[in-house]
Every structure is written in C-alpha cells, then in structure tokens.
Amino acid sequence: MATMVTSSMTVAPMLKEFRDETVITKRSLDRVPGDKLSWKPHSKSMTLGQLAWHVATIPGGIARIAQPDSFDVLKGTFVPAQPNSLQEIFSAYEQSVSEAEQFLGGLTDERAGANWRLMRGDRELSSQPRIEFVRSVMLNHWYHHRGQLSVYLRLLEVPLPVTYGPSADESPFA
C-alpha cells in the first residue's frame, strides 16, 4: 500500500517543471520532418509520426487518466495514432499541453496526495498517490519518449535542438 504524500508536497514545482519542459518538447517536435512521418528505424519500432504523436499527447492523456481515482487499462488504447501531417501533431500538442496545464493547475495538495489506482478489470495493478503517478508517467515517461525522438532525429540526420545544454548541432552559447 502506498503512503500518503505529506501536506508539504505541492504541485507548484511540478507545474513549473512541466511548463519549462513544454518549451524543450516543442523544440524537438519542431524538428520532425513532415515527409518522414512513416519512417521507422526497425520493424518493431513506432513510426516517426507515431512517436511524435505520442510525445505530443502524453501530458493531456495522462491528465485525463489521472483525474478519476482509478483507470482500467482494459478501457484504454495505447497504440499511438499515425498522423498525416505535422499540423496534426502540433494541434494535438497544443491541446495536450492545455489539458495538462489545467489539470496540474487545479490539483490541490489533498487531491495530489490521494490514492490513485491502476486497474485491469477488477484486479488492482498499482496503487499510489496521484502525484507519484503523474510524476512517473506524465513527466518521466514523457522525457523518455522525447529522448527516443531525438535518436530518431539523429538517425535521420536532423540537427538536434538544445535540450538541457548544447547539443552537438546547436549551442545557445555560440
């Protein structure tokens, strides 16, 4: 059984981090070549378009999943859509960021610390404070896939943007 988050835990730092990371994520999405959306590095991999779509929609999707007190994985779809254009990805990203910002901005410490459960039908897969789920899946999972996107871009010879410091292709200090 997960422990309750203490009242000193606030959502404000996470909201600030989210806002900072949206800028970095947008820089990465802006580099996706629209003529390569169906490309994939391996037969078991997502296409570039699916991965970009996934990166674009993770925050809003997790905001929707984390609002109720539980989510049943049997009721979800987890295969990212194949977008037809960059505009679809950018529109989805803007909507996703807006949904996540609204969710995080309205999350009280009490609600953040409340128990949240991941279910598979009647079977509980996980139980933890909502804020821990959001940190792990909305943010950490998002960063993981953004890193994966940078590998795809590198394989396609697309110059990588600055993330947390200079990339091999770009330096804010040059």
Side-chain angles (χ1 to χ4, degrees), residues 122-140:
D122 293 335
R123 192 172 122 229
E124 183 178 273
L125 300 176
S126 173
S127 178
Q128 62 194 54
R130 180 175 278 103
I131 198 75
E132 289 179 13
F133 170 73
V134 171
R135 156 65 60 203
S136 176
V137 184
M138 181 186 285
L139 298 181
N140 296 349

Side-chain angles (χ1 to χ4, degrees), residues 13 20 41-42 50 59-61 66-67 69 101 124 140 145 152 169 173:
D20 292 346
H42 189 276
Q50 286 175 302
Q67 285 182 31
D69 291 333
E101 175 119 9
E124 183 178 273
N140 296 349
H145 284 295
Y152 276 42
D169 303 311
F173 311 111

Side-chain angles (χ1 to χ4, degrees), residues 19-39:
R19 288 174 176 155
D20 292 346
E21 295 294 331
T22 61
V23 173
I24 295 168
T25 301
K26 181 67 167 84
R27 279 197 301 255
S28 295
L29 290 172
D30 283 343
R31 299 292 173 98
V32 172
D35 63 339
K36 301 284 188 202
L37 296 180
S38 62
W39 179 85

Side-chain angles (χ1 to χ4, degrees), residues 44-47 50-51 53-55 57-58 60-66 70-82 116-121 125 133 137 141 145 148:
K44 293 181 182 180
S45 299
M46 287 185 268
T47 66
Q50 286 175 302
L51 179 57
W53 181 267
H54 190 51
V55 169
T57 60
I58 286 172
I62 299 308
R64 287 188 301 277
I65 287 172
S70 66
F71 177 74
D72 185 346
V73 297
L74 296 176
K75 296 180 180 174
T77 56
F78 301 100
V79 176
Q82 175 62 48
W116 184 88
R117 299 176 336 144
L118 183 64
M119 307 293 293
R120 181 179 172 89
L125 300 176
F133 170 73
V137 184
H141 177 77
H145 284 295
Q148 186 181 16

Side-chain angles (χ1 to χ4, degrees), residues 94-109:
E94 293 303 320
Q95 180 179 343
S96 176
V97 166
S98 176
E99 290 173 8
E101 175 119 9
Q102 184 176 4
F103 169 71
L104 290 171
L107 199 57
T108 63
D109 284 347

